[in-house]
Structure formats: structure tokens, C-alpha cells
Amino acid sequence: MLIETLIGFAFVAALVTFLVPDEVAGRVGAALSLVPLAGTLWMWAQFDGSGNALTGGQLAFETRFDLLTLSGYQVQWFSGVDGISLPLVVLTAFLTTLAIVSAWTPIDSRQSQFYGLMLFMEANLLGMFTALDFFVWFVFWEATLLPMYFLIGVWGGPRRKYAAIKFFVYTNVASLLMFVGFIALVFGGLGDSIDTLSLPAVAMALDAGGNLGSFMGLAPGTLKLVAFVAMFVGFAVKVPVAPLHTWLPDAHVQAPTPASVMLAGVLLKMGTYAMLRFNFTLLPDVASDLAIVIAALGAFSVIYGAILALAQEDLKRIVAYSSVSSMGYVLLGLVAFTEFGIAGATFQMIAHGLISGLMFMAVGVIYNTTHTRMVGDMSGLADRMPVTVGILIAGAFGYMGLPLMAGFAGEYFIFVGAFHSTVIPSAPLFTAAAMFGIVIVAGYLLLAMQRTLFGPFSLDADYEVGRAAFHDVAPLAVLLFAVIALGVYPDLFFDMILDAIAPLVGGGA
């Protein structure tokens, strides 16, 4: 019961951190977060799973027992990891520790509550990525909203309450829509042919085909379409996919830096992970029928997000809109329905989690010193903060897809998979459109760096600008190392991802 131990420990760690004095809360939270990190790294080292969790694959670290009966359906504690979920579990624990350390400088009030919420969020994220019973999964899914709401609403910027409420309303309504779609599919469509909410059992019943009945006057085919769209839109808000992205910039700009790191690095991946598990695994035939629409949304998100980033003057907004663009690549890879497309999309979730975390953290370090994020308010920071600036530049090049960095590997896999897709009509055109987004990304990042980091030093405020503290720079250096390590040797995760993806595409290339 290693997974349960790690989740339980994270909950207990959150409670302990809530109770310790503020003066030591940051150090206690960081120390306690090392236990889940060590546990997930051990899981990675000992991973012996094979195949896909929803298609009869061999799970690693599986635990399963009955909890209760709900309207005739057996609810189970059913947890385990495959090659898709394990990298996201490792990413969650890794970023949580680094985000907590990065909070030592900017968080100067209610520290025990802040770090307790960070650990509480980690516990729910670990549960969400490992749960394989829908009811338990949905509880963890919803529980992640609460700590992020408070992290934004209490420790955020001047418009924090507006941003927190907007975040909560958007994502909660999206969750309701997704929930209705899944329940209609299972309770209405599958009906008495299934007596459990286990996701592998649901996948098996849907794959059998003949078990699906009509519901509320909807024929089986129409019911599957309606359920797919409801779940897809619900998850698309979480990703977010343009034009459902409007909550994200406000949330990022108002959130404290550590919360932005977790929001971009992990919480956005909840949406794409759920899309892969629910839409593209449970209902692949509907996904294939809607492939051109989904591919168009992916390409649109890439271009539109990049253009919006190009128009921003706030460094945090630039990185926030970059996330919309980057997640468009993930959507394109998922709908390609090739091994390299879906595996590349999964790998890109990890790569983007690391790079976006690095970028938000670096912008946060600059803000801690200059007290501004506006591009026009500063220049010449490279002379005053050479290490921070150097890491920020490296992260920006990772965003641009520089070879030997994780972003390049993820985008390359996606482009190869999407180009050879037989599911997307005119796949090379959609791939080319998405690739053009890299040009726009390079444009806005290079322009922002040129204006803020180089030239003669100036700052429209009376603050002393110097080198950042070691505990501010250390998380940046660790993240940069991880980005380069995954770029140089993608098989740290890519082999296990490919193994879990193969059953979804019949082993095709």
C-alpha cells in the first residue's frame, strides 16, 4: 500500500504544518514534502507495470478493496499506476517540494496555513493521478480546487478575490458538466450491464459495444457523442483550451508564485490526463469522428495563445498565455491517435510542467527583487542578477523547443505523430500550423528578454537590485537540470509512456 501511505502521509504532513509556528512552517513543510518525493522516486525506480491501466494492463503498486455501494454500483478504493500516471505522480511530488522552497522569500504571512495547503493539494493530486475508481477519483479531482482557491484568494495580488472566485466557478462548473456526461454514459447507457465504477471495468464494457443502451430518448451513438462532448468541454476548461481559457491569466497573475508553479506545472495537466483517460480511452471512436474539430482546437490554441502572449507587457501574463499555447500541442498529439502522438502529448505534459514551473519561479524571483513584472519598467537585469537571468534565458529557450531540452523532445514526438496521423484529415496541414506557433513563441520571448534583461540597467522604482538568495536560485537550478536531463535522455519516461500508450493505438506507429 505504498500509494496509500504516501497520500496519507501528505495529509498528515499538511495537518502538522498547519499546527507548527509560522517561523518554522516553511522548513517543516519542505522537509515533510521530501517523504512523498522520495516515495515517488522509489516507485519510479521499482516500476514493473506494463500496458495501460484501463485496458487490462499490469498495474504497479496496485491496491483494491470495496468501500461502499452507491445506487447499486460498487465503489472501491482502487489505486495503481501505469506508464501514463507514474510520470505525473513523480512530477507532482517534485514540483511540490521545489514550490515550497521557492515560497520562503515571498510568503511572509500565515506561513503555516500556506504550506499546509500546499501539502494538502499535493495529497489530493497524488490521489487523483492514481485512483482508478470514478467516485474516488472525482473526490480527489474536486478536492484540488479548494487549496488553490485559498492560495489565490488569501496570498494573491490586489485582485485576488476576483481571480479566485473566477477560477473556482469556471473549474467547478466544468467539473459538473464532466460529471453529468460520465454518469449519463454509465448509469444511463451501460445501466445494469455493469455494477462498478471502476474505470477499467467501464472501459471494458464500452469496448464490448453491445452493452450500451439508449437513455432519455438518446440512441446509443448519440448518447456517446453527448457524453464525449460534455466530458471534453469539462476537461478543456481545466487544460485550458482556447476559447475556454479566460480564467487562467487572471488566476496566474494574482496567484503567489508557488501557487502559479503548481497551477501551471500540475493542475493544468489534470485536464489533459483526464482527456486521455476518459475521452480518448473510453470513447476512441467518438474522438476519431471529431478528430478534425479537436485538431483545429489544438492548432487554434497554439497560435491564439502565442499571439496573446506577444501582446502582453506583464511577464507573468506572457508565461500564462504560453501555457495555453503549449497545451494546444498536447491536444493535437492526443487526437493524432498514433503512438508517437499520444506518447509525445503525455511526455509534453511532463516537459511543460517542468519548464512552466521554471519560468514562473524565475519571474517570481525577479519580482521579489524588483517588485514589478512589467516589461517596460526594467532593463539590464543581467548585470545585477546574472544567475537568475541565465536560468530564465535557458528556460525560455526550452519553451522555444531548443534541442537537448525536454520541450524539444515533447514537441518533436507530437509533430512526428500528428504528421503521420490517419485519423486527422489533412494532418500535415494542422501539424504545420502548430509548428508555426514556435516562431511566435520565439518572437515574444526574445522580445521580452531583450527589453528586460539586457542593455543599461534601469528600474522605475527605488529598490536595490542584487543577486537572489541561494534558496531562491536553488529550485531554479534543480528544475533546469531536470529539463536538460529529460531533453538529453527522454527514455527516462518515454519508454514507459510508450508501453502504456501502445494498447490504445493497437501498437501502430
Side-chain angles (χ1 to χ4, degrees):
M1 299 184 67
L2 178 60
I3 291 173
E4 292 72 26
T5 301
L6 294 179
I7 295 172
F9 181 88
F11 278 125
V12 173
L15 178 61
V16 170
T17 307
F18 269 118
L19 298 176
V20 300
D22 281 351
E23 293 75 15
V24 297
R27 272 63 179 176
V28 170
L32 292 174
S33 73
L34 291 174
V35 175
L37 175 58
T40 59
L41 291 175
W42 190 87
M43 290 171 62
W44 181 20
Q46 300 297 317
F47 178 73
D48 60 355
S50 62
N52 189 283
L54 270 59
T55 61
Q58 178 184 334
L59 289 170
F61 310 105
E62 178 181 353
T63 304
R64 187 170 187 168
F65 53 85
D66 294 341
L67 290 176
L68 55 92
T69 301
L70 182 67
S71 299
Y73 290 85
Q74 188 64 51
V75 176
Q76 301 174 318
W77 177 272
F78 183 12
S79 65
V81 291
D82 62 2
I84 294 172
S85 53
L86 179 59
L88 290 164
V89 167
V90 175
L91 176 70
T92 298
F94 184 67
L95 281 183
T96 299
T97 297
L98 296 180
I100 287 175
V101 175
S102 75
W104 289 356
T105 294
I107 304 302
D108 55 7
S109 65
R110 300 184 179 182
Q111 289 99 322
S112 60
Q113 298 170 35
F114 180 90
Y115 296 112
L117 286 170
M118 291 285 286
L119 290 166
F120 181 76
M121 182 165 59
E122 177 186 28
N124 287 291
L125 286 167
L126 293 175
M128 193 278 304
F129 284 127
T130 56
L132 291 167
D133 179 278
F134 176 77
F135 184 84
V136 176
W137 176 89
F138 188 74
V139 170
F140 282 125
W141 171 276
E142 285 293 277
T144 59
L145 299 180
L146 294 175
M148 184 55 69
Y149 169 80
F150 287 112
L151 289 171
I152 297 173
V154 176
W155 291 273
R159 303 186 69 211
R160 57 185 179 273
K161 292 182 180 179
Y162 166 79
I165 292 172
K166 189 174 183 180
F167 160 78
F168 191 84
V169 170
Y170 267 68
T171 52
N172 205 34
V173 170
S175 296
L176 176 62
L177 186 61
M178 172 272 294
F179 182 83
V180 169
F182 182 84
I183 292 302
L185 181 66
V186 175
F187 284 29
L190 293 176
D192 295 336
S193 65
I194 189 172
D195 61 358
T196 176
L197 294 177
S198 160
L199 294 179
V202 173
M204 185 179 300
L206 290 170
D207 188 54
N211 294 322
L212 195 66
S214 59
F215 178 63
M216 295 183 65
L218 298 175
T222 305
L223 174 60
K224 289 171 69 175
L225 175 62
V226 171
F228 182 96
V229 172
M231 291 189 293
F232 182 86
V233 173
F235 298 140
V237 172
K238 196 79 170 184
V239 171
V241 176
L244 303 174
H245 66 284
T246 55
W247 63 269
L248 182 67
D250 291 319
H252 269 311
V253 169
Q254 299 303 319
T257 295
S260 288
V261 171
M262 295 302 295
L263 178 59
V266 186
L267 266 70
L268 302 190
K269 311 309 176 291
M270 292 169 58
T272 47
Y273 170 79
M275 276 186 183
L276 176 54
R277 289 298 200 201
F278 288 82
N279 292 94
F280 295 98
T281 302
L282 298 182
L283 298 170
D285 52 338
V286 183
S288 297
D289 293 339
L290 298 177
I292 190 169
V293 177
I294 298 172
L297 284 173
F300 176 72
S301 292
V302 170
I303 301 298
Y304 186 64
I307 291 174
L308 288 176
L310 186 63
Q312 304 306 311
E313 291 291 318
D314 186 318
L315 288 175
K316 220 176 182 186
R317 277 191 177 270
I318 291 174
V319 182
Y321 281 116
S322 297
S323 292
V324 177
S325 182
S326 294
M327 299 313 285
Y329 291 122
V330 175
L331 188 58
L332 181 64
L334 290 176
V335 78
F337 269 106
T338 59
E339 271 194 340
F340 267 76
I342 300 180
T346 307
F347 186 89
Q348 179 68 359
M349 296 182 208
I350 310 303
H352 178 263
L354 296 173
I355 296 172
S356 63
L358 171 60
M359 294 293 287
F360 275 114
M361 209 175 283
V363 170
V365 172
I366 290 174
Y367 179 77
N368 294 341
T369 302
T370 64
H371 300 272
T372 181
R373 296 187 303 263
M374 305 306 294
V375 172
D377 290 349
M378 51 187 166
S379 66
L381 294 181
D383 288 339
R384 304 295 180 93
M385 307 177 71
V387 177
T388 303
V389 167
I391 295 175
L392 175 61
I393 292 172
F397 277 111
Y399 244 133
M400 297 178 212
L402 184 72
L404 300 183
M405 301 188 83
F408 171 81
E411 290 170 7
Y412 172 77
F413 295 143
I414 289 172
F415 293 150
V416 170
F419 187 87
H420 291 98
S421 174
T422 58
V423 174
I424 306 173
S426 305
L429 293 180
F430 285 104
T431 307
M435 291 177 70
F436 181 71
I438 298 176
V439 178
I440 308 177
V441 170
Y444 65 71
L445 287 177
L446 290 173
L447 180 62
M449 289 191 297
Q450 181 184 15
R451 294 176 61 188
T452 58
L453 307 182
F454 302 106
F457 174 77
S458 68
L459 178 65
D460 287 352
D462 187 21
Y463 292 107
E464 184 67 29
V465 177
R467 295 174 182 266
F470 175 79
H471 64 258
D472 288 334
V473 176
L476 296 176
V478 173
L479 275 173
L480 180 58
F481 175 80
V483 169
I484 295 173
L486 272 185
V488 172
Y489 191 54
D491 283 346
L492 287 171
F493 285 129
F494 196 64
D495 274 349
M496 69 171 63
I497 293 172
L498 273 177
D499 181 67
I501 293 303
L504 305 183
V505 295

